[in-house]
């Protein structure tokens, strides 16, 4: 266990990042903290050993290709800098993020590995990025021209990865634009100071391993690489695969795979069953209060749950403001000690309740209710995602508010 930070807390620039190793002032204010307890009530624990394991597994699957660990959206809610560091220790070669702001935050946190940022607002700070040695994904002629103009004056090498839209119709340059952009970038290379390191593209249906669109996109991508070579570029780090493709289509690894979700131990294709990944995130909250209730007593807003028999309920101080989806009300369990108990009634902004029945183990305030974890009795993000009809990606990025973060492993 090490330092902790609030996922919802926007971190200040520079050395302030190190302040996250500090004590209670940085921690969320909660009843337990006010009573003098050292630990915050709700803690998401990230197992960095699990991240290293997952990255090692991805490297194995990628064969000769390198691994870029994707840590956009604060490392899928797991903490971008900490996860990037763990992944790099396990042999990832590069770090990928969506925005320049995310990339600059990683530089400030001391990450010195190559970082690629690929999603730019129209007023994105290309110069600041290039000065910080951030590689830029380029998706339009306007972006290529802007990078070329800066590269001409920067006095240090600039790395560009050209993003081709091969069928996702999201970010990336459309096919008609490929040749003009490549000519622009080839001219910039000849002027010196800029190098097109690789071409890349993103798959629309990689989570359906047998879907023909995957091969169609791969064919268009290969055409793009061939066109780039004809127009005088010599990209050596081409990349197409996300986690799903990295795990199921080693033939599409090219020079580099971009792995986000699998690095955190969550499956991009849950239907495939166990892929050997280890979820890094656990979530626990300390019980604030237990109380006896009588048969027929309603619990929480709307009395959505009513006790059939007299018994005990435990109050857990985590709610939707902390990232626990309200739609999970009455649809999940927690583990306390060696037993599972159902959460009952509505999830509120700050709290929810657990039915302890006759409370056979004599559970009391202060004990930890584990919502997510590695034991067979624990809930999983995938289980919650199935319950809610969404994907683990969305739930991993929800944790916020008073949820503190801790690192293990
Ligand atoms: C988010 C993202 C990834 C990572 O996808 P996973 O499914 O999490 O592996 C890779 N490439 C691009 C362009 C992305 O936006």
């Amino acid at each position: 266990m090490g330092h902790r930070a609030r996922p919802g807390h926007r971190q200040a620039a520079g050395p302030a990042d190190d302040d996250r190793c500090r004590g209670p002032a940085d921690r969320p204010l909660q009843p337990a903290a006010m009573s003098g307890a050292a630990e915050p009530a709700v803690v998401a624990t990230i197992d960095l050993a699990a991240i290293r394991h997952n990255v090692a597994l991805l490297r194995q699957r990628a064969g000769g290709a390198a691994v870029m660990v994707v840590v956009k959206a604060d490392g899928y809610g797991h903490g971008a800098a900490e996860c990037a560091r763990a992944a790099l220790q396990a042999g990832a070669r590069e770090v990928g993020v969506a925005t320049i702001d995310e990339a600059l935050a990683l530089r400030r946190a001391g990450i010195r590995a190559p970082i690629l940022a690929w999603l730019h607002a129209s007023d994105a700070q290309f110069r600041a990025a290039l000065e910080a040695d951030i590689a830029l994904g380029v998706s339009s002629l306007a972006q290529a021209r802007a990078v070329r103009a800066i590269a001409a004056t920067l006095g240090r090498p600039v790395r560009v990865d050209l993003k081709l839209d091969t069928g996702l119709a999201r970010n990336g340059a459309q096919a008609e634009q490929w040749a003009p952009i490549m000519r622009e970038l080839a001219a910039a290379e000849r002027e010196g100071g800029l190098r097109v390191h690789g071409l890349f593209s993103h798959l629309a249906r990689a989570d359906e391993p047998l879907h023909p669109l995957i091969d169609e996109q791969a064919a268009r991508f290969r055409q793009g690489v061939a066109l780039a070579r004809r127009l005088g570029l010599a990209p050596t780090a081409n990349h197409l695969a996300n986690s799903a493709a990295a795990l199921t289509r080693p033939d599409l690894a090219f020079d580099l795979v971009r792995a986000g979700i699998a690095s955190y131990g969550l499956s991009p294709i849950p239907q495939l069953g166990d892929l050997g990944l280890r979820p890094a995130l656990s979530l626990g909250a300390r019980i604030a209060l237990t109380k006896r209730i009588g048969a027929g007593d309603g619990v929480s807003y709307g009395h959505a749950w009513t006790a059939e028999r007299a018994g005990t309920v435990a109050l857990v101080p985590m709610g939707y403001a902390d990232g626990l989806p309200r739609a999970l009300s009455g649809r999940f369990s927690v583990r306390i000690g060696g037993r599972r108990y159902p959460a009952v009634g509505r999830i509120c902004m700050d709290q929810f309740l657990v039915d302890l029945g006759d409370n056979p183990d004599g559970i009391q305030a202060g004990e930890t209710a584990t919502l997510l974890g590695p034991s067979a009795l624990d809930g999983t993000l995938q289980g919650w995602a199935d319950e809610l009809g969404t994907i683990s990606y969305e739930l991993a990025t929800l944790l916020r508010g008073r949820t503190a973060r801790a690192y293990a492993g």
Side-chain angles (χ1 to χ4, degrees):
M1 295 283 184
H3 52 280
R4 45 180 58 88
R6 294 159 62 175
H9 175 76
R10 206 181 159 81
Q11 280 141 27
D17 274 2
D18 295 333
D19 293 348
R20 296 188 307 163
C21 305
R22 258 199 337 225
D26 192 47
R27 288 181 194 157
L29 189 63
Q30 294 164 56
M34 288 193 288
S35 69
E39 296 297 314
V42 184
V43 180
T45 303
I46 317 310
D47 180 1
L48 297 173
I51 294 197
R52 292 194 298 271
H53 163 87
N54 299 324
V55 169
L57 186 137
L58 284 157
R59 284 183 69 199
Q60 215 177 355
R61 296 291 174 89
V67 171
M68 170 189 287
V69 62
V70 179
V71 299
K72 63 191 181 186
D74 200 15
Y76 291 43
H78 292 61
E82 291 82 356
C83 294
R85 225 170 270 131
L88 291 164
Q89 281 164 9
R93 197 179 73 189
E94 306 200 5
V95 181
V97 288
T99 68
I100 288 172
D101 280 351
E102 291 176 318
L104 291 172
L106 289 172
R107 279 282 181 262
R108 286 195 301 268
I111 304 289
R112 286 195 290 270
I115 302 175
L116 175 67
W118 54 68
L119 184 61
H120 312 300
S122 54
D123 60 349
Q125 302 300 303
F126 281 180
R127 180 173 290 276
L130 295 171
E131 281 171 353
D133 196 23
I134 309 295
L136 294 178
V138 162
S139 283
S140 71
L141 189 55
Q143 289 175 2
R145 287 183 175 139
V147 175
R148 180 183 178 184
I150 297 167
T153 64
L154 201 66
R156 62 175 302 159
V158 163
R159 169 180 155 185
V160 164
D161 284 26
L162 171 56
K163 187 163 193 195
L164 306 180
D165 179 2
T166 56
L168 179 59
R170 208 178 65 172
N171 196 19
Q174 286 182 284
E176 312 81 81
Q177 292 296 305
W178 293 358
I181 298 173
M182 288 169 182
R183 286 197 187 92
E184 179 77 18
L185 293 173
E189 277 197 353
R190 287 193 297 274
E191 286 163 8
L194 180 149
R195 169 148 156 69
V196 178
H197 193 64
L199 269 49
F200 72 119
S201 188
H202 198 35
L203 297 167
R205 310 187 73 151
D207 56 342
E208 303 166 69
L210 300 177
H211 200 282
L213 183 61
I214 297 171
D215 291 305
E216 287 169 32
Q217 284 196 259
R220 283 176 216 146
F221 185 62
R222 287 194 181 91
Q223 286 163 12
V225 173
L227 179 65
R229 298 217 166 101
R230 280 204 298 282
L231 294 177
L233 296 170
T236 52
N238 298 315
H239 41 114
L240 176 66
N242 56 3
S243 293
L247 291 167
T248 60
R249 291 295 303 268
D251 57 314
L252 300 184
F254 290 89
D255 305 303
L256 184 70
V257 299
R258 299 184 308 273
I261 199 79
S263 309
Y264 307 99
L266 301 167
S267 176
I269 316 178
Q271 315 83 272
L272 287 187
D274 187 5
L275 298 170
L277 300 166
R278 267 169 52 192
L281 180 85
S282 300
L283 180 63
R286 270 176 311 115
I287 295 167
L289 184 65
T290 60
K291 60 174 60 177
R292 294 286 302 169
I293 53 168
D297 284 354
V299 154
S300 192
Y301 288 130
H303 283 183
W305 183 81
T306 306
E308 270 173 32
R309 298 183 292 129
T312 301
V313 292
L315 179 70
V316 182
M318 178 178 195
Y320 57 77
D322 308 302
L324 182 64
R326 185 172 176 275
L328 266 184
S329 294
R331 301 166 76 181
F332 74 108
S333 303
V334 301
R335 176 177 60 79
I336 309 170
R339 229 186 273 270
R340 272 175 86 100
Y341 301 90
V344 292
R346 294 246 169 94
I347 293 170
C348 310
M349 186 179 288
D350 321 302
Q351 47 195 303
F352 68 91
L353 289 134
V354 172
D355 177 18
L356 301 179
D358 298 332
N359 196 7
D361 296 338
I363 287 158
Q364 296 179 9
E367 291 184 52
T368 295
T370 299
L371 290 84
L372 300 171
S375 116
L377 294 173
D378 294 337
T380 62
L381 273 181
Q382 187 58 50
W384 287 9
D386 293 343
E387 193 61 45
L388 296 176
T390 185
I391 54 178
S392 60
Y393 295 71
E394 184 185 11
L395 300 181
T397 55
L398 281 184
L399 294 178
R400 62 181 186 276
R402 290 151 291 199
T403 306
R405 219 186 252 148
Y407 291 93

